[in-house]
Amino acid sequence: MLLNQLHAAASPLTPEQVQKLQGLVAELNPIQQAWVSGYLAANANTAALAGGAVSAPAATEAAALTILYGSQTGNAKAVATQLKEQAQSRGLAAKLVSMADYKPTALKKEKFISIVVSTYGEGEPPEDAEALHEFLTTKKAPKLDDVKIAVLGLGDSSYEFFCQTAKDFEERLVKLGAQSIYQRADLDVDYEDQSETWIAGALDAFEPELKAQQGGEANVVSMPFGAASPAVSQYNKKNPFAAELLTVQKITGRDSTKDVRHIEISLEGSDITYTPGDSLGVYFLNEQSKVDKVLSLLQLDGATQITLGDESLSLRDALIEKLELTQSYPGFVEKYALATNTPELLALIEDKAAMREYIEARQTFDVIFQHPAQIGAQELVDCLRKVQPRLYSIASSQSEVEDEVHLTVGVVEFDAFGENHLGGCSGYLCRVAEEGSEVRVFTEHNDNFRLPSDDNTPVIMIGPGTGIAPFRAFLQEREARDAQGKNWLFFGNPHFTQDFLYQTEIQGYLKSGLLTNIDVAWSRDQAEKVYVQDRLREQGEQLFAWLEQGAHLYVCGDANRMAKDVHQALIDVVKTHGNKDDESAEQYIKDLRSANRYQKDVY
C-alpha cells in the first residue's frame, strides 16, 4: 500500500507518524528505502524473538556508552560515528545520539557518556547542541555522581574562543558530579589523526568498567542505524570528487561594493546527492605567484622533496595544493617563530591578546613575507597545517538542476601591507580557476536545516547577502514538489540596483505565486540604514500570525551580527504581537527551536 493511501482505519500509525514517515521516504533513494525496510523487518524479528520486548533491559541500557554529538558542519558527527564504530568493534554497546534528539532528562539514567562537540562563532555551541548546553546550567540538571565522561572538542584555533563549547560541557558535567575518566582534547581543523588517537585512549578508559557491567549482552543495545548505508557516496572530505567548473558569473553590478559570483559545478560521473540545506565542501589551490614569492624570500628550492603525512611530494606542490597559506592562526605563528627564532613573533607567544590582533590583520602569507628567515623545506612544512576545504551553502535543488550543484560565493578581498589579498577559496573559485577546470568537491549533509516534510507548511526565509543561497534551493525544491505551503522571503543588501541577487528568478517566483511575500531591505539606498531585522519588526503582526499557523522559520548568513539582530527582532515581534513578557517571548522562540521550526545556517 502506498503511503498516500494510508488512513486512520487501515494504519496503526498516528497521522503525525504517517506525516513523518512520508517526509523521510521522500528524502530517500530506492537503495536507502530498501535498507530501511530491511532494518525495520530485522528489528521487528528481534523484538518478536525477545517475546515482543522492543527495548533492552534497564541494566543493559545503563551499561551502554552514550555518545552525544553537537555538529555544525558534520565533522563532530563523523568523529562521533567513528567513536561508536570503534566501540562496537571492541564488543562494547554504544548509542549514537545527536544532542538535538536527546532528552536532557535522560541524563540521570546514564552511566557512561562521551561528548563530541564543535564550537563556532564567539565560543558558541552548534545549533543542535544549544538546548543541552543551556539545560546543564539550570536547576533542572540532575546530579551525575555515578557518571563517567570523556569530552572531545573540535574547533578552529584562528578564532579566539577555541573549543569553548567542549570546555563548557566538561565543566558543567563535572560540576554536576560526573567524573572525567579521560583527558579532554581540543582539536584544531586538522583533527583527523589526533581524533583517532583520542578515540583509542577514551575507549581504553571506558572499556574495563563497561565490559564488567555489560556481561555478555553488549550487542543487544548496539543500534544498527549507525551502520553505513550502501547508498552513501564514495566521495567525501578524504576522497573528494574531481568535478568540472561549468560557470562563474558575477551577479552584482559593476558599481557594487561586493563581488558575488554564481557558481555552477558538474557532478556528472559521481554518485553525489544532496538535499536543500546541505553544504558543498570545496578544496582550492593557493596563488602560485605568492607561493613562488615564499620560496624566493626563504631561499628554498621548490623541487625539494618533503613529507606530508604518508605522502612525499615537492615543496612547491605542497604549498600550492596541500597547505594553509591564507587563513592565519596562532599555531603557525608560534611554530614559525620558534623555528626561525624571530624576536617579534616570539614575543607574541606570551601575549594572547597581541597574537589575536596580529593574526586578525594578516594571512599566513603575510607572516612569512614580513619575517623571511632561514628555515629548511621540511621545517616550513611542519610549521603549516593542511589546507581545509571551505563549506558553502548549496544554492540549488537536484530536482531542478540534476547532476549539477550551484553556489553563491562572495569574494573575500582586501588591501593590506601594500598588496591585494583574496580569500583562499573564494578567490580561487571566482578569480583564478577558469571555466572547464577541475575542482575537488564533496557534500556535507545538514539535518538541522531542512524544509518541513509537510508541503502545506508555511515557510519564512531570512537570508541577506549570500545568505540567499539555501533559499534559492528551497524555492526550487518547493516548486518541484508542487508544495502548497506559503513562502515568505526576507532579503537585504546595500543597493537595489547593484546587489539584488537572483532578482529575475525571485520576481518570477513572486509572479507565479510560489513566493507569497517578499520583503527587501536596501541598507544604503536612503539616509537611514535599513536591514532585514527592521523589516521583520515592520511586518511583525503578519509574521507572528504565520508562526501561530505553524510556519517554519529559517535564517542564513552572518553569525556575528545579522543572526543575533534577527533573533532579537523575532523576540520583539513575539513580545509585541503575542502580548508576552521578555521571559515568555524567549521561551516561545526556544519552543520553536525545540520543534525544529526555527533553524539557522550561520557562519
Side-chain angles (χ1 to χ4, degrees), residues 25 27 83 89 132 189 236 449 488 588:
V25 172
E27 296 179 1
L83 173 58
S89 71
L132 183 60
V189 293
N236 51 43
F449 202 76
W488 190 350
Y588 186 95

Side-chain angles (χ1 to χ4, degrees), residues 271-292:
D271 59 353
I272 293 176
T273 60
Y274 59 87
T275 301
D278 288 343
S279 296
L280 189 76
V282 182
Y283 283 95
F284 60 95
L285 303 180
N286 288 312
E287 291 182 69
Q288 294 187 27
S289 61
K290 290 194 172 182
V291 167
D292 289 336

Side-chain angles (χ1 to χ4, degrees), residues 251-252 258 260 408 460-472 475 488-503 506 515 517-523 530-536 554 556 562 566:
I251 54 175
T252 44
K258 300 183 176 184
V260 178
T408 310
I460 302 166
M461 300 164 283
I462 305 166
T466 55
I468 189 70
F471 303 134
R472 181 176 185 263
L475 289 168
W488 190 350
L489 175 66
F490 287 85
F491 175 73
N493 239 349
H495 298 285
F496 166 72
T497 58
Q498 302 294 319
D499 305 304
F500 196 163
L501 308 182
Y502 302 112
Q503 178 181 357
I506 289 171
L515 196 54
N517 294 346
I518 179 170
D519 279 272
V520 292
W522 310 113
S523 61
V530 178
Y531 299 103
V532 287
Q533 57 267 28
D534 300 312
R535 298 298 186 219
L536 293 173
Y554 303 86
C556 181
M562 182 278 296
V566 164

Side-chain angles (χ1 to χ4, degrees), residues 306-337:
I306 56 89
T307 301
L308 192 61
D310 298 330
E311 190 177 6
S312 178
L313 68 165
S314 75
L315 174 61
R316 186 173 188 272
D317 287 346
L319 292 174
I320 292 173
E321 302 172 14
K322 305 287 187 179
L323 297 167
E324 180 63 74
L325 287 168
T326 48
Q327 189 178 50
S328 54
Y329 53 101
F332 169 73
V333 177
E334 182 175 343
K335 290 178 181 178
Y336 187 76

Side-chain angles (χ1 to χ4, degrees), residues 11 24 55 99 108 119 135 140 166 171 177 189 202 206 216 278 331 345 404 487 495 498 582:
S11 171
L24 172 63
S55 60
M99 291 183 186
K108 58 188 176 185
T119 297
F135 174 82
K140 294 182 179 180
E171 179 183 338
V189 293
F206 278 120
D278 288 343
L345 300 182
E404 292 182 8
N487 301 294
H495 298 285
Q498 302 294 319
D582 288 344

Side-chain angles (χ1 to χ4, degrees), residues 133-198:
H133 184 261
E134 182 179 353
F135 174 82
L136 293 176
T137 66
T138 67
K139 293 180 180 180
K140 294 182 179 180
K143 292 294 183 183
L144 303 175
D145 293 337
D146 297 323
V147 179
K148 307 292 193 301
I149 66 167
V151 178
L152 177 65
L154 300 184
D156 184 340
S157 63
S158 62
Y159 290 91
E160 183 174 358
F161 299 99
F162 176 56
C163 287
Q164 185 61 47
T165 304
K167 297 171 186 176
D168 291 346
F169 269 107
E170 184 177 62
E171 179 183 338
R172 293 172 188 183
L173 290 169
V174 169
K175 190 174 182 179
L176 292 169
Q179 178 189 353
S180 181
I181 64 169
Y182 192 66
Q183 184 175 0
R184 187 192 74 245
D186 300 329
L187 305 187
D188 211 339
V189 293
D190 50 351
Y191 60 84
E192 284 90 348
D193 292 341
Q194 291 172 293
S195 64
E196 291 179 6
T197 301
W198 185 89

Side-chain angles (χ1 to χ4, degrees), residues 45 62 91 122 128 144 164 223 295 391 412 440 445 512 554:
N45 288 338
E122 297 176 12
D128 51 3
L144 303 175
Q164 185 61 47
M223 295 297 292
L295 294 171
L391 293 178
V412 176
R440 296 177 298 146
H445 297 290
S512 73
Y554 303 86

